[in-house]
Amino acid sequence: MAVNTSTLGIFVLVYLLAVFYCGWLAYKRTKDVEDYMLAGRKVNPYILALSYGAAFISTAAIIGFGGVTGTLGLGTLWLVFMNIFVGIFIAFVVFGARTRRIGLNLGAVTFPELIGRRFQSRFIQGYSGALIALFMPLYAGIVLIGGARFMETALSIDYNIAVLILIVIVAAYVITGGLLAVMYTDALQGTLMFVGMSILLVLTYTKLGGVVEAHQALTNLAPLVPESLAAGGHQGWTAMPVFGSPIWWTMVSTIILGVGIGVLAQPQLAVRFMTVDSKKSLNRAVFAGGPFILMMAGVAYIVGGLSNVHFFNTVGMISIDVAKGNLDLIMPEYINSAMPELFVIFFMITLLAAAMSTLSSQFHTMGTAIGHDFYREFLMKGNAGNTVTVTKFGIIVTIIFSVILAYILPISIIARATAIFFGLCAAAFLPMYIGALFWKRMTKEGAIASLVVGTFSSLFWLAFVHIKEAAPLGICKALFGTDTLLTGTWTVVDPILIAFPLATIAAVSVSLMTKQPSKEHLNTCYGKKF
């Protein structure tokens, strides 16, 4: 169903005016580098919670993981639990307070700088910045895909045009207003997202006859599971896959653990802990962030699964068949065929908000990684002065790369690419980040070992063992004449289960063999009461 473009135009215009007003307010209040990088360290807890949640839950979750649930079933709801318990409670209460305090003590304005200064290493800061600049465009590219696919379906416009529309809008306020603009607009967009997903849940259950009736109907569709999925362990959309089956490993290791744990080491999220003025503000943010994630991710996954009932009732097909094998089209097809036209228009605004909030955070993080962490601190040894101009140039460069990836990445890529990036961050950054916050004995050498081992073991597993990436890349095939170096269950075990333990072992063992940081430096990091 193509929506009425004049009605949509009015909605979009009002939305964009509100977004640009928020961006303008932030621009007027951005006076120096700390404002541009960290929003002045005085962000309201409500804005922090919505900004964090809106940056975390994007079109990747709504479109990508909604499509995965429509195909593999409601087992993905365990990821919602991880998103709330790990991504909100553990992140804010356990990680957030120390991140804020150490970042303030060390004068850090980015995530790589926080780690680099804790371990007194420009290499760590520069390497981390380069890693973000090289691999975060993959994540940004799939967020672009999610928003553009819905616009393509709803407006019947060319996918490539939809990508350009999205990117031009986001670039306009991120480049000018910095993190303050990102967080102000995130708060507006997060509110829209919450309302849109709430309405979607109510309309879906109403359309399918109620909560109990809808889920019973989904359970009854188990005999329709395609043979290829049943052979992989699929037992129906309301049951977990067979324990130890390929689909079970994909759901548990890649989706639930890969994304659920990887959130703790997302640079664009961790930096937000340094934008508030107190631990109390972080604790208050939990009460807004938890319900937000529950509604955003939970609704997307539930509706994705229940889309099978709608399509079976209306066209006698399950969701993956309606989408012609493209998981990323399941949610757009469902919303455009099942929802009233006025809601389709509003939901497009919701998805625009989801895409723009995450993209703005990603572009700001990538820009600061290039301009501040890699250029100023690593290449110029801290002697480059004000690097806001270089940061803005970095944002432009990463935008271009993200758009290119959005054009060339294959179908059904959104959820998989999200898991790849989250898993890579967990392997490369998380052991080092945990050590920086909680273990005074961790040394610079241990941190470097962890960073390097985590990065390359994760990339090696992706290229040579994990079948989902190794086979399409073809590197292993070209070098060794086989799709993967290992066979059997190993080929469906996500890299995070291999790379994260290896990086942790490297961090601990090398730290214990090297000289610990001076007491004076530790006092500077943590305060004299440490």
Side-chain angles (χ1 to χ4, degrees):
M1 175 185 70
V3 302
N4 185 298
T5 53
S6 59
T7 306
L8 176 63
I10 295 172
F11 272 75
V12 171
L13 180 61
V14 172
Y15 166 69
L16 291 181
L17 286 174
V19 168
F20 283 120
Y21 177 69
C22 290
W24 179 79
L25 281 180
Y27 172 74
K28 297 293 286 184
R29 296 177 184 179
T30 299
K31 306 297 183 183
D32 53 31
V33 173
E34 189 166 279
D35 286 340
Y36 193 88
M37 299 289 192
L38 277 183
R41 298 186 193 266
K42 298 177 181 178
V43 170
N44 179 278
Y46 174 78
I47 292 178
L48 168 65
L50 286 184
S51 177
Y52 182 96
F56 179 16
I57 303 297
S58 67
T59 52
I62 299 170
I63 300 298
F65 286 94
V68 167
T69 308
T71 306
L72 301 184
L74 295 176
T76 54
L77 289 175
W78 282 106
L79 176 57
V80 181
F81 168 77
M82 293 290 287
N83 290 158
I84 296 172
F85 180 70
V86 177
I88 297 294
F89 181 76
I90 297 296
F92 277 73
V93 176
V94 180
F95 282 64
R98 288 213 168 199
T99 299
R100 188 200 71 81
R101 187 177 68 186
I102 296 171
L104 183 62
N105 290 344
L106 296 177
V109 296
T110 68
F111 175 76
E113 186 164 61
L114 171 77
I115 303 299
R117 290 191 176 183
R118 160 60 177 86
F119 295 112
Q120 298 175 289
S121 170
R122 292 191 189 276
F123 171 79
I124 289 177
Q125 185 172 352
Y127 182 102
S128 300
L131 196 66
I132 291 167
L134 285 173
F135 290 98
M136 192 176 278
L138 173 66
Y139 187 22
I142 56 98
V143 173
L144 267 174
I145 291 172
R149 285 299 180 197
F150 188 82
M151 292 176 67
E152 174 192 32
T153 304
L155 295 177
S156 297
I157 63 173
D158 183 72
Y159 166 77
N160 298 321
I161 299 299
V163 169
L164 290 177
I165 292 172
L166 269 178
I167 206 66
V168 168
I169 295 170
V170 176
Y173 67 84
V174 179
I175 294 173
T176 56
L179 188 58
L180 197 58
V182 170
M183 296 189 76
Y184 277 11
T185 53
D186 279 356
L188 167 67
Q189 291 157 344
T191 303
L192 284 173
M193 291 159 64
F194 188 90
V195 173
M197 297 303 284
S198 301
I199 296 173
L200 176 62
L201 182 65
V202 172
L203 290 178
T204 296
Y205 279 132
T206 301
K207 188 174 189 67
L208 299 180
V211 177
V212 175
E213 292 79 3
H215 286 272
Q216 184 59 55
L218 185 60
T219 300
N220 296 340
L221 293 181
L224 298 180
V225 171
E227 290 184 11
S228 58
L229 292 178
H234 199 315
Q235 300 188 96
W237 288 271
T238 56
M240 281 292 287
V242 175
F243 179 80
S245 66
I247 293 179
W248 185 90
W249 277 106
T250 297
M251 183 171 289
V252 173
S253 69
T254 300
I255 296 174
I256 297 173
L257 295 179
V259 178
I261 294 174
V263 64
L264 289 174
Q266 289 293 292
Q268 75 277 16
L269 300 181
V271 74
R272 278 163 167 71
F273 301 139
M274 296 191 280
T275 65
V276 293
D277 59 1
S278 67
K279 179 180 178 180
K280 184 181 294 185
S281 294
L282 288 168
N283 292 338
R284 287 176 178 172
V286 172
F287 294 101
F292 180 83
I293 298 297
L294 176 64
M295 285 304 300
M296 295 304 302
V299 171
Y301 305 165
I302 289 171
V303 171
L306 292 176
S307 67
N308 287 281
V309 178
H310 164 73
F311 288 126
F312 180 75
N313 291 343
T314 54
V315 295
M317 301 166 66
I318 60 173
S319 299
I320 193 63
D321 292 333
V322 172
K324 299 179 181 178
N326 187 350
L327 277 63
D328 301 337
L329 286 177
I330 289 176
M331 288 293 283
E333 290 286 355
Y334 168 73
I335 291 164
N336 281 285
S337 64
M339 296 292 110
E341 181 179 350
L342 191 61
F343 178 75
V344 174
I345 293 172
F346 181 77
F347 198 76
M348 175 168 286
I349 304 300
T350 300
L351 278 185
L352 279 174
M356 290 168 63
S357 58
T358 301
L359 286 169
S360 60
S361 299
Q362 292 168 332
F363 292 142
H364 181 270
T365 300
M366 289 186 283
T368 57
I370 292 172
H372 186 78
D373 298 311
F374 186 73
Y375 174 73
R376 182 181 187 275
E377 295 298 327
F378 180 65
L379 291 182
M380 303 304 293
K381 309 298 182 185
N383 298 316
N386 190 318
T387 54
V388 170
T389 301
V390 181
T391 296
K392 291 180 178 180
F393 176 75
I395 292 173
I396 294 171
V397 171
T398 56
I399 284 174
I400 293 171
F401 280 120
S402 300
V403 171
I404 291 171
L405 287 172
Y407 286 149
I408 65 175
L409 287 172
I411 64 171
S412 302
I413 190 63
I414 294 178
R416 184 147 49 100
T418 303
I420 290 171
F421 182 73
F422 274 58
L424 177 61
C425 286
F429 298 142
L430 189 53
M432 177 176 64
Y433 184 30
I434 293 172
L437 298 184
F438 303 106
W439 191 32
K440 66 179 181 179
R441 183 65 182 80
M442 189 161 179
T443 65
K444 176 177 73 173
E445 293 79 9
I448 292 174
S450 171
L451 180 61
V452 174
V453 169
T455 301
F456 287 97
S457 59
S458 182
L459 294 177
F460 174 84
W461 201 263
L462 284 169
F464 293 96
V465 180
H466 199 240
I467 188 70
K468 290 286 188 179
E469 291 77 36
L473 284 173
I475 298 173
C476 189
K477 182 77 170 178
L479 294 176
F480 302 105
T482 179
D483 285 337
T484 58
L485 291 180
L486 300 179
T487 59
T489 301
W490 289 112
T491 63
V492 291
V493 173
D494 193 79
I496 191 174
L497 296 185
I498 305 300
F500 177 70
L502 288 177
T504 302
I505 291 169
V508 174
S509 58
V510 174
S511 291
L512 292 176
M513 292 187 292
T514 51
K515 185 179 179 181
Q516 73 179 77
S518 68
K519 185 175 181 180
E520 291 76 14
H521 176 64
L522 293 177
N523 286 339
T524 301
C525 293
Y526 303 103
K528 291 185 178 181
K529 293 182 179 180
F530 176 80

